[in-house]
Amino acid sequence: MIEVKNITKKYGSFVALDNVSFKIEKGEIIGLLGPNGAGKSTTMNIITGYIEPTEGEVTVDGINMLKRPKKAKREIGYMPEGVPLYYDLTVKEFVNYMAELKKVNKKERKQKVANIIESTGLKEVQNKLIRNLSRGYKQRVSMAGALVGEPQILILDEPTVGLDPKQITEIRSLIKKLGKNHTVILSSHILSEVSQICDKVIIINKGKLIAIDTPNNLEDKVANDNSVYVTVEDPENKMENIKEKIPEIKEVKLILENEDKTKQYSIKGEGNVDLRKIIFELFAKEGITIFEMKKADTTLEDAFMQLIEEGGEK
Ligand code: ADP
Ligand code: MG
C-alpha cells in the first residue's frame, strides 16, 4: 500500500532522515514512534508529498509520489501537527470548504459533509465557530478535514497532543473506528498511545529507523531482561562490592539517591535467574536493609528505551 524506500532528508548539512525504508500494508494502523525531533513529522510530510526527500522514493498504491503527486495525494488524508484551522468558520463551513478544495462532486457534497461530521462526532457542534471549540473538538475537526474526499490512507501527526485524558480516550476510539476502513499512520512520542491502538510500531530516533514490529514482539525482544530494582539503606556502603559476592549478579547500577538516604539500584542477573531470593538473603546477611524490591516488567516503554539506547550506540 505504502512503500518508503531509502528516504534521506537533509536540511543543509543536517540529516533529518537517514536512509529510512519501510512498507505498510492496507488496513493496518501504524504508529510512528520516537522522541521529539526524531523525524516523525518529516517522514509524514514526505509520505504525503508535502515536502520532497533529498534521496529515495515513496509509492502509494504503486503510484510514485514524486512522479505523479496529484494521483498519489488523492489517496491520502493528512492531518498535520497542531490544529491549523480556519477559526472564523463553523465546523460545517470548514468541512464543506475542504470538500470544495478537494473537488468533491457538488451533488454529493452536502451528504458527504454530513456523513463526515456524523462519523467524527461533531454533529452537536457543527454550527459553532471553530474558535469556540475545546481542544479535543478542534482535533476532531482537523480529522474531519483529513477524511474529506474518502482517502484510503489517513496520516495523523500527533493526534492526541495537548488533549486531556478523557479527550485522548475519545480520539483513540475514533482512530480505532476509522482504522476499520482506512490505513492509518499516526505519530506519537508517547508509547502507551501507540501500543493501545496500533497493529505495528515503527520506532525512529535521530532520523534513523530503529525497529518495525508489533507492540507485542517489541516487548518480547527485551523480555529476557531479568533486572531487579531495589531500594536500600546501606550505611556501610556494602553495595559497592556486592557484585563480587554472588556469581549470578552480572551488573549493579545506582539509579538514584533519595533524600532520605536510601538508594535505588538496578541489579541484572545472568541468564534467566530470578535474583530476588538471592538478593533478599544476601542483603540481610550484609546488613543492607531492603525498603523495596521489584522485578522489572517489560513494557513497551522498556523496549522503546532499550531500542533507542542500542540504536544510539551504532
Ligand atoms: P518530530 O516530528 O519527530 O518531532 P521533525 O520531523 O519535526 O521531528 O524534525 C526532525 C529534525 O529535523 C529536527 O531536528 C528538526 O529540528 C529538523 N527540522 C525539521 N524541519 C526543518 C526545517 N524546515 N529546517 C531545518 N531543520 C528542520
Ligand atoms: Mg513532529
Side-chain angles (χ1 to χ4, degrees):
M1 174 107 239
I2 300 174
E3 185 166 9
V4 169
K5 248 193 252 169
N6 308 105
I7 290 288
T8 293
K9 177 69 191 178
K10 292 184 188 162
Y11 292 110
S13 60
F14 177 75
V15 183
L17 283 179
D18 187 1
N19 198 22
V20 169
S21 302
F22 56 84
K23 270 186 201 171
I24 292 171
E25 303 299 332
K26 195 178 164 87
E28 286 181 327
I29 302 185
I30 301 290
L32 201 54
L33 185 69
N36 285 326
K40 303 180 295 293
S41 298
T42 305
T43 305
M44 291 182 142
N45 279 323
I46 288 172
I47 296 175
T48 53
Y50 194 70
I51 60 174
E52 284 187 10
T54 311
E55 280 164 50
E57 61 179 38
V58 176
T59 55
V60 175
D61 240 356
I63 308 160
N64 189 307
M65 181 55 86
L66 290 169
K67 289 180 188 145
R68 303 175 68 192
K70 265 198 184 150
K71 191 155 196 286
K73 276 181 190 169
R74 224 173 286 157
E75 295 307 332
I76 296 178
Y78 178 36
M79 190 194 85
E81 219 167 0
V83 275
L85 293 168
Y86 298 81
Y87 276 40
D88 292 320
L89 297 183
T90 66
V91 172
K92 199 163 138 189
E93 282 165 353
F94 170 74
V95 180
N96 196 55
Y97 175 60
M98 289 301 287
E100 275 174 41
L101 283 185
K102 289 200 193 170
K103 301 197 165 59
V104 175
N105 185 309
K106 217 172 179 179
K107 277 187 201 148
E108 300 171 16
R109 201 181 291 157
K110 205 172 164 191
Q111 187 56 48
K112 294 216 157 136
V113 166
N115 290 348
I116 289 170
I117 286 175
E118 171 83 46
S119 72
T120 44
L122 287 165
K123 213 170 165 187
E124 306 103 85
V125 298
Q126 63 178 325
N127 294 314
K128 284 197 180 172
L129 285 179
I130 291 169
R131 70 161 69 248
N132 296 330
L133 299 178
S134 69
R135 183 73 173 73
Y137 272 111
K138 283 195 182 106
Q139 198 73 58
R140 279 165 195 261
V141 176
S142 207
M143 266 162 84
L147 283 167
V148 172
E150 290 157 15
Q152 295 187 58
I153 302 160
L154 282 178
I155 297 191
L156 313 171
D157 199 354
E158 306 253 6
T160 58
V161 91
L163 303 185
D164 68 33
K166 184 166 170 278
Q167 294 167 335
I168 289 177
T169 319
E170 288 166 0
I171 290 288
R172 249 186 223 154
S173 322
L174 179 56
I175 294 170
K176 268 200 168 159
K177 192 177 87 177
L178 294 172
K180 287 189 184 135
N181 40 27
H182 292 88
T183 303
V184 180
I185 308 177
L186 64 96
S187 70
S188 176
H189 57 279
I190 304 160
L191 271 154
S192 51
E193 186 90 348
V194 296
S195 60
Q196 288 181 37
I197 30 184
C198 299
D199 303 313
K200 248 193 222 165
V201 182
I202 295 173
I203 300 181
I204 54 172
N205 188 37
K206 295 181 185 155
K208 286 194 162 75
L209 188 135
I210 289 176
I212 171 162
D213 218 325
T214 63
N216 276 341
N217 283 346
L218 287 172
E219 280 174 23
D220 287 349
K221 270 191 188 164
V222 287
N224 53 5
D225 181 4
N226 60 353
S227 295
V228 173
Y229 292 98
V230 284
T231 304
V232 298
E233 194 174 66
D234 175 28
E236 293 171 56
N237 269 328
K238 292 274 182 81
M239 286 300 292
E240 268 177 26
N241 306 311
I242 207 75
K243 196 173 153 239
E244 278 73 54
K245 303 247 151 93
I246 303 273
E248 286 91 340
I249 295 180
K250 201 164 105 190
E251 187 184 74
V252 178
K253 243 199 247 170
L254 177 65
I255 296 176
L256 82 140
E257 296 187 40
N258 298 313
E259 280 182 6
D260 62 6
K261 300 239 166 69
T262 60
K263 292 178 185 173
Q264 193 184 13
Y265 291 87
S266 82
I267 303 177
K268 225 181 204 158
E270 289 287 355
N272 283 324
V273 63
D274 184 348
L275 288 174
R276 286 175 296 181
K277 190 160 178 281
I278 298 170
I279 289 172
F280 192 78
E281 286 166 0
L282 173 70
F283 283 25
K285 214 165 70 191
E286 296 290 321
I288 304 169
T289 314
I290 299 173
F291 279 66
E292 201 189 338
M293 172 153 70
K294 64 174 190 211
K295 218 167 153 5
D297 29 305
T298 315
T299 59
L300 196 55
E301 195 87 35
D302 300 325
F304 182 48
M305 293 314 294
Q306 198 168 321
L307 287 165
I308 281 182
E309 278 169 24
E310 285 167 6
E313 281 163 16
K314 265 178 214 160

